Amino acid sequence: MQVQLAKGVRLTTVTSHQFKTNQIIVNFRAPLKRDEITKRALLSNLLETSSADYPDQRALAHALAAMFGAAFGAGVSRKGPTHSLQLAITVPNERYLATDQALTASAIDFLQKIIYRPLVKDQQFDQATFDRQVTNLQASIESLADDKQYYAAQKLNEALFVADAAQQVPSFGTVADLGTLSATDLYAYYQTVLATNQIDIIVMGDVDVEAVTTQWRQVGFKDRPTDRLTAFYQHQNTGHYVETSEQQALSQAKLNLGYDLPVFYRDNHYYAALVFNELFGGSPLSKLFMNVREKASLAYYASSSLDTFRGVLKVQAGIDGKNHDQVLQIIDDQLTAIKNGEFTDELVDQLKLGLINDFESSLDSQRTFAIQALIDDLTQRQVSDDEWLQQIQAVTREQIQAVAQLVTLNDGFFLNGGAA
């Protein structure tokens, strides 16, 4: 059930008797802007760790313990050209406990206090808390640089989206941007978030829909811009391959490749693209895994992944630097083989079965249901579980080949640890 609490504010209640917990997600969605990404990431840290009612993590922990061990968290994410700041709480369903406490109502009240009563003094976030969270976020971002595969992936991302600075930046921002933020400016920006961001509230579980709706109406949400946010970013296909490289002291070189693949979430070719990715590099039965890693022993790992909100396909491989040219060629050979139909129907059936098993396993996750509701609202493309399964089963080898024909290698980043 979905109701509009104000223009640009939607409450979706997904009633389910499958789980013994209830989950509430509040998602603030806005267009992706380069100068706001780090601000939103820092906001998520501040909101997750303090508020006027719970000024420190001890007070927060005490409040969650009082709700029979409720779990609370905040974070940021990106889908195509949109950025989301999200708060979520999972609380036991009181119907399964020996208590008269209205835990779902308590959890909603908790979230409302976190959002609308931040730890603020004199029109700025509490300075000590602000400084601590800046330090924590900086440490978190800097620690990722030690992960060489992540580093190489980020460098590839910068090349793939060279024409759009906002798409280049990770969803959690940059250390350089952190240094420009103040407690006063961030609080002013937060007021803008509350007033202008589209808000999606998801309540999932065995709940009283009328009571939940009444409790959220009491917030008194104000109307905000209702222009539907675009769910998809169209990557610009250059039509040719450009590789950049860097050398560092490491034992295993990283080769990351970025392809243009204009296939988007639940659009034409989408289900065939899911099977294609499994065949190319998305599973242990894939051509990259079997031929690059296992048969040729040219990679410590080799895999592919789809981004159907930005129209790209990525490959990542850990290799011996001296084998760069050979690895690049054999990866291309695997794509050519799929274009030429050099795979068996039996393998396709196995890949479909793997996708179906993963899909059915995900149905046991309450969070999967809640996140799917958010994606459905963003994209306005909904399918039932049965339809999803039917679409996967219906994918043909010709459709897989057609997807392969759409793939164009654009960019590469090679992080080498060998001799220059």
Side-chain angles (χ1 to χ4, degrees), residues 150-175:
Y150 168 82
Y151 178 83
Q154 179 54 32
K155 285 294 185 180
L156 174 65
N157 200 65
E158 292 173 7
L160 269 175
F161 301 103
V162 68
D164 191 327
Q167 293 293 335
Q168 292 180 306
V169 176
S171 62
F172 47 79
T174 69
V175 169

Side-chain angles (χ1 to χ4, degrees), residues 14 22 75 100 102 130 137 186 234 245 286 303 311 390-391 401:
V14 183
N22 295 332
D100 294 329
F130 176 87
L137 182 55
L186 190 64
Q234 179 68 60
S245 63
S286 70
S303 64
Q390 290 169 7
Q391 292 278 11
Q401 289 177 254

